[in-house]
Amino acid sequence: MQWTKVLGLGLGAAALLGLGIILGHFAIPKKANSPAPQDLDLEILETVMGQLDANRIRENLRELSREPHLASSPRDEDLVQLLLQRWKDPESGLDSAGASTYEVLLSFPSQEQPNVVDIVGPTGGIIHSCHRTEENVTGEQGGPDVVQPYAAYAPSGTPQGLLVYANRGAEEDFKELQTQGIKLEGTIALTRYGGVGRGAKAVNAAKHGVAGVLVYTDPADINDGLSSPDETFPNSWYLPPSGVERGSYYEYFGDPLTPYLPAVPSSFRVDLANVSGFPPIPTQPIVCALGCPVNVSVYNRLELRNSSNVLGIIRGAVEPDRYVLYGNHRDSWVHGAVDPSSGTAVLLELSRVLGTLLKKGTWRPRRSIVFASWGAEEFGLIGSTEFTEEFFNKLQERTVAYINVDISVFANATLRVQGTPPVQTVVFSATKEIRSPGPGDLSIYDNWIRYFNRSSPVYGLVPSLGSLGAGSDYAPFIHFLGISSMDIAYTYDRSKTSARIYPTYHTAFDTFDYVDKFLDPGFSSHQAVARTAGSVILRLSDSFFLPLKVSDYSETLRSFLQAAQQDLGALLEQHSISLGPLVNAVEKFEAEAAALGQRISTLQKGSPDPLQVRMLNDQLMLLERTFLNPRAFPEERYYSHVLWAPRTGSVVTFPGLSNACSRARDTASGSEAWAEVQRQLSIVVTALEGAAATLRPVADL
């Protein structure tokens, strides 16, 4: 009914206003109910580590994954209320909690006309129809709330054509088919997951006249080649033959109708006809082997839906206007026990332990801690992106770091952390003090270094920190806001599996029993992630000096510079482009980062003035912002970080420079392509010089 929609919008606006007031009031110091911390309290840290309970995490996961909770569904809204109830609990709750609602454009398959894929005979009759749903092997795959496998945001349509196998659906795959003399016009391309993004498969296909795209999961990519039902779930962790990976095929992130603006009633919305980033042709994931020709009928529809973020806040005692953010999305494609509920189960346990200490009056952080449950992530990081758009300036000015725990446990072998270089030291410090799950007496750090390591010219052999792409809610924080970010999870032993991702990813088989029996029996890996994230949060929120080591960026910059010199230097010289300014800029950064580290070390030995510490901490916090240039990559929505933008060039160096050189390589000197190379080089040099200037003593302009 219309009045319910109006009421919902009104309540959503009120909730947004309330959250804005809460965040705004962080800047106003309030009387704390416990002593203000002067530095990280190791006894509190040890208490938190000891109270994080694996069994409570298990019970959280059981409840969170009990029913499917697709974004904006009734069960999704039930979980909003569950989070609010936990975060408002009088004995273990936080200082405040609230939900904000955005009206966003989502995509769903029609319930009246299910999507179908048919094999058609010579006379036009249907020989075989593919399964529309997964096999109901545990009684959880056949419920009314299990959404049919579909490609979110793919347009409706009924193309029919000969089937052509196109491997991963990359541009080079379609070019190879044309080279072989295969006519692509009007065909249906059969592609497998991986290689390129979901949406890119349809974009690449459409460029070559393909009428429709089918996508399937190759058992070789996730099941180590196994496909017999006896070898798959519920008998093992492998994907049953009927498993289908759902997913968003939208190329960008955030609400499609309000790019760079929050999806609130007052915001301008793009006309639907002008929205970019959707697949240009009908696309559908499938479960069966096919002959040809094929008839594809897609009846997806776009709908405006309300989707909520939930924020829980612990107010800082000394610096309430400095935020440590910890987030995970809430929505899933079906039951979502691994993705994302494993992360939410950890989030709830960590907030319970910290909330209990808070309510007892035995602890309050130096800086504010914000727990976030994002809505509609699966459709394109929508909740987190809308949040960063709405509070852009406030978050840029005040956020210390963003910690993301989405899938907390892919598998139970080792820790895996992705992040920007300044967070490396705080993660290392945390993991050295926590025992690794399993036999033996290794720390998480020592176990981690056995599986993923690199040789550092500064530290020797250390665990390798992965870089951040756009796979989860950290993306808007690092790429759009320039906030130091990390993503924490437990994962596989890569020597024992070649799986692209955990086998039941985005399928109806991602259930509680799947996690409980095969992924992490005993939930010790979930507990390890909770302890790691908890230690990192406390170190960032309570340490007198922020444990962000900006000099660790020097290694990244030096490696990028060396790659540019070795792999691009001769080519650039041929076109009269010098890397000299880049060399100077990197050297400036290295010198200023080392000098700042020395000033901090000197101050740590004495009794520094709090204002001096605050100024130094701001330099550490704001460094990441200096690498932003919103005009650097006009073709890439939201990507403005000149060090971590998407890289299409083959040289592992500054992405803008690598991409521009790749495009210009076969063009003549003086072309627009070579002018773009010069522009990208200038952008990087300017960013590095700005970063070096940020690290100099604040009185030195």
Side-chain angles (χ1 to χ4, degrees):
M1 294 177 65
Q2 288 298 317
W3 67 268
T4 58
K5 184 176 181 181
V6 172
L7 178 61
L9 288 172
L11 289 172
L16 281 172
L17 178 61
L19 278 175
I21 292 171
I22 290 170
L23 285 170
H25 279 181
F26 278 4
I28 305 172
K30 297 177 176 65
K31 184 177 180 181
N33 62 2
S34 56
Q38 292 303 305
D39 207 345
L40 177 67
D41 187 328
L42 295 180
E43 289 187 7
I44 291 291
L45 180 59
E46 187 176 349
T47 296
V48 171
M49 296 299 99
Q51 291 184 0
L52 291 166
D53 189 313
N55 193 56
R56 285 181 180 269
I57 297 173
R58 181 177 184 270
E59 291 310 307
N60 286 342
L61 185 65
R62 186 196 298 275
E63 175 60 24
L64 291 165
S65 60
R66 182 164 52 83
E67 298 175 28
H69 45 286
L70 191 64
S72 77
S73 68
R75 179 58 181 170
D76 182 34
E77 290 305 309
D78 288 345
L79 295 184
V80 168
Q81 297 307 312
L82 182 149
L83 283 152
L84 289 173
Q85 178 187 357
R86 297 282 186 94
W87 288 346
K88 292 181 178 182
D89 187 278
E91 295 183 355
S92 60
L94 313 179
D95 284 323
S96 58
S100 58
T101 301
Y102 300 97
E103 189 178 40
V104 298
L105 188 69
L106 304 182
S107 167
F108 303 97
S110 170
Q111 292 184 332
E112 294 77 24
Q113 284 184 294
N115 298 343
V116 295
V117 177
D118 297 321
I119 300 173
V120 182
T123 61
I126 295 174
I127 299 173
H128 177 73
S129 293
C130 288
H131 299 295
R132 299 178 187 177
T133 60
E134 289 144 311
E135 184 182 357
N136 192 8
V137 300
T138 67
E140 298 164 288
Q141 292 76 42
D145 296 328
V146 175
V147 70
Q148 175 194 5
Y150 74 112
Y153 296 110
S156 59
T158 56
Q160 179 173 321
L162 294 174
L163 192 70
V164 175
Y165 175 68
N167 193 29
R168 302 283 191 183
E171 175 66 16
E172 53 266 30
D173 292 324
F174 289 104
K175 287 182 177 179
E176 175 63 23
L177 289 171
Q178 287 186 320
T179 300
Q180 295 176 14
I182 296 174
K183 182 182 177 183
L184 295 175
E185 188 77 28
T187 62
I188 305 297
L190 176 64
T191 66
R192 57 189 178 126
Y193 277 115
V196 298
R198 298 185 192 98
K201 299 177 191 297
V203 171
N204 295 335
K207 290 178 185 176
H208 296 275
V210 173
V213 174
L214 301 177
V215 190
Y216 75 99
T217 299
D218 190 333
D221 291 332
I222 57 169
N223 276 10
D224 296 322
L226 300 175
S227 60
S228 167
D230 292 338
E231 300 173 309
T232 61
F233 183 72
N235 300 311
S236 79
W237 85 315
Y238 290 116
L239 181 67
S242 67
V244 187
E245 180 180 322
R246 298 150 180 82
S248 173
Y249 284 64
Y250 179 47
E251 284 199 282
Y252 305 123
F253 45 88
D255 172 44
L257 296 182
T258 57
Y260 296 105
L261 296 169
V264 296
S266 61
S267 287
F268 169 79
R269 282 174 164 76
V270 177
D271 186 277
L272 195 57
N274 297 325
V275 172
S276 59
F278 292 162
I281 53 179
T283 305
Q284 175 68 16
I286 60 167
V287 302
C288 63
L290 296 171
C292 53
V294 173
N295 183 39
V296 180
S297 298
V298 175
Y299 300 104
N300 295 345
R301 58 191 184 195
L302 298 168
E303 296 182 27
L304 281 172
R305 292 281 191 93
N306 287 337
S307 179
S308 300
N309 291 338
V310 187
L311 296 186
I313 298 161
I314 299 177
R315 190 180 64 253
V318 181
E319 300 180 76
D321 61 333
R322 290 294 177 261
Y323 316 151
V324 176
L325 269 67
Y326 175 94
N328 169 233
H329 72 98
R330 183 185 61 257
D331 65 301
S332 68
W333 287 110
V334 193
H335 294 86
V338 181
D339 182 9
S341 299
S342 65
T344 307
V346 165
L347 180 148
L348 284 172
E349 174 60 3
L350 186 51
S351 62
R352 179 194 70 83
V353 171
L354 295 182
T356 300
L357 292 176
L358 184 73
K359 293 300 185 182
K360 287 180 177 178
T362 56
W363 167 82
R364 179 172 289 279
R366 180 182 187 87
R367 303 176 187 93
S368 295
I369 299 172
V370 181
F371 292 100
S373 172
W374 310 118
E377 185 268 0
E378 294 292 7
F379 287 83
L381 318 181
I382 288 178
S384 55
T385 302
E386 300 313 302
F387 177 75
T388 58
E389 289 169 337
E390 183 169 15
F391 298 107
F392 180 91
N393 292 322
K394 190 175 293 185
L395 294 170
Q396 268 207 328
E397 292 168 3
R398 304 176 185 178
T399 305
V400 170
Y402 175 70
I403 302 159
N404 195 69
V405 179
D406 182 342
I407 297 172
S408 68
V409 177
F410 289 86
N412 57 9
T414 180
L415 188 71
R416 184 221 67 186
V417 181
Q418 299 168 309
T420 53
V423 308
Q424 173 180 270
T425 297
V426 67
V427 175
F428 286 178
S429 298
T431 54
K432 286 176 180 178
E433 304 300 323
I434 306 169
R435 184 182 173 279
S436 175
D441 197 29
L442 292 177
S443 67
I444 289 178
Y445 179 92
D446 290 333
N447 185 62
W448 181 12
I449 209 171
R450 294 167 58 201
Y451 291 92
F452 301 108
N453 59 65
R454 67 181 182 88
S455 181
S456 162
V458 178
Y459 305 110
L461 193 69
V462 295
S464 57
L465 201 74
S467 58
L468 295 171
S472 190
D473 291 299
Y474 52 74
F477 289 94
I478 180 59
H479 298 302
F480 185 41
L481 296 184
I483 290 169
S484 293
S485 301
M486 69 188 82
D487 183 76
I488 303 172
Y490 244 70
T491 192
Y492 327 95
D493 177 351
R494 283 294 179 189
S495 69
K496 294 182 178 179
T497 178
S498 59
R500 176 174 60 88
I501 198 166
Y502 73 94
T504 65
Y505 175 67
H506 285 192
T507 74
F509 303 107
D510 182 356
T511 63
F512 173 79
D513 282 346
Y514 179 77
V515 177
D516 195 37
K517 293 178 181 178
F518 303 113
L519 219 60
D520 188 24
F523 280 70
S524 59
S525 295
H526 284 77
Q527 184 183 48
V529 171
R531 286 173 171 167
T532 301
S535 181
V536 168
I537 287 174
L538 287 173
R539 291 168 190 273
L540 288 168
S541 63
D542 281 354
S543 296
F544 198 41
F545 288 92
L546 285 176
L548 297 174
K549 195 166 185 179
V550 296
S551 60
D552 283 348
Y553 244 128
S554 297
E555 281 192 56
T556 298
L557 299 179
R558 178 60 60 175
S559 70
F560 281 6
L561 173 61
Q562 290 173 345
Q565 291 172 317
Q566 293 169 9
D567 299 329
L568 299 175
L571 177 66
L572 293 169
E573 199 172 298
Q574 292 172 17
H575 295 272
S576 303
I577 298 174
S578 172
L579 286 174
L582 183 59
V583 173
N584 293 336
V586 170
E587 291 176 347
K588 280 183 186 178
F589 180 90
E590 290 172 335
E592 296 299 345
L596 178 62
Q598 187 58 51
R599 290 198 300 277
I600 292 173
S601 295
T602 301
L603 284 175
Q604 285 175 325
K605 296 172 184 175
S607 301
D609 177 85
L611 184 57
Q612 283 183 297
V613 178
R614 171 81 170 201
M615 288 189 294
L616 279 167
N617 281 341
D618 279 358
Q619 289 176 278
L620 299 174
M621 180 183 79
L622 295 173
L623 171 70
E624 205 79 62
R625 322 289 200 266
T626 65
F627 295 119
L628 297 183
N629 186 323
R631 291 184 172 85
F633 314 107
E635 74 283 2
E636 298 283 0
R637 188 179 294 179
Y638 293 106
Y639 288 100
S640 55
H641 199 298
V642 301
L643 302 182
W644 305 119
R647 182 174 54 81
T648 55
S650 60
V651 180
V652 184
T653 184
F654 304 97
L657 179 62
S658 179
N659 299 346
C661 284
S662 179
R663 290 190 290 264
R665 189 176 292 272
D666 297 324
T667 67
S669 292
S671 67
E672 288 186 10
W674 281 109
E676 178 62 14
V677 171
Q678 292 179 313
R679 188 180 83 92
Q680 288 295 337
L681 185 58
S682 295
I683 285 170
V684 172
V685 169
T686 301
L688 295 182
E689 290 179 339
T694 296
L695 298 180
R696 284 199 286 270
V698 293
D700 297 349
L701 297 178

